[in-house]
Amino acid sequence: MIVTKDMIIGDILRQDIELAPILMNSGLHCLGCPSAQAETLEEAGYVHGLDVDLLVDKLNDYLAAKVM
């Protein structure tokens, strides 16, 4: 799996729940709220003032290390 900023947060978590701490540590604390089920990573990042490209890199770095 590769995370992109146009992915829905709920879909990302359904693929790998272990990504939740990275999202939460980045400032996305309402992963269980209804918005997370329909909001893209980019939309949530904009609302929370996050650097989405950096967050996507962190998520994908985690996933790449997990595969090895």
Side-chain angles (χ1 to χ4, degrees), residues 2-68:
I2 295 176
V3 175
T4 61
K5 60 186 173 184
D6 65 332
M7 293 177 76
I8 304 293
I9 295 170
D11 293 341
I12 293 169
L13 292 172
R14 278 188 283 283
Q15 291 290 321
D16 193 333
I17 194 65
E18 292 178 12
L19 294 173
I22 298 170
L23 293 168
M24 292 181 72
N25 289 335
S26 295
L28 299 178
H29 301 284
C30 345
L31 299 179
C33 75
S35 293
Q37 301 309 310
E39 194 170 48
T40 67
L41 199 53
E42 185 170 35
E43 291 166 337
Y46 177 77
V47 169
H48 293 280
L50 304 176
D51 181 339
V52 178
D53 293 321
L54 180 61
L55 178 55
V56 167
D57 288 343
K58 286 181 184 179
L59 294 168
N60 285 320
D61 288 347
Y62 171 83
L63 290 171
K66 186 175 174 180
V67 171
M68 295 181 174

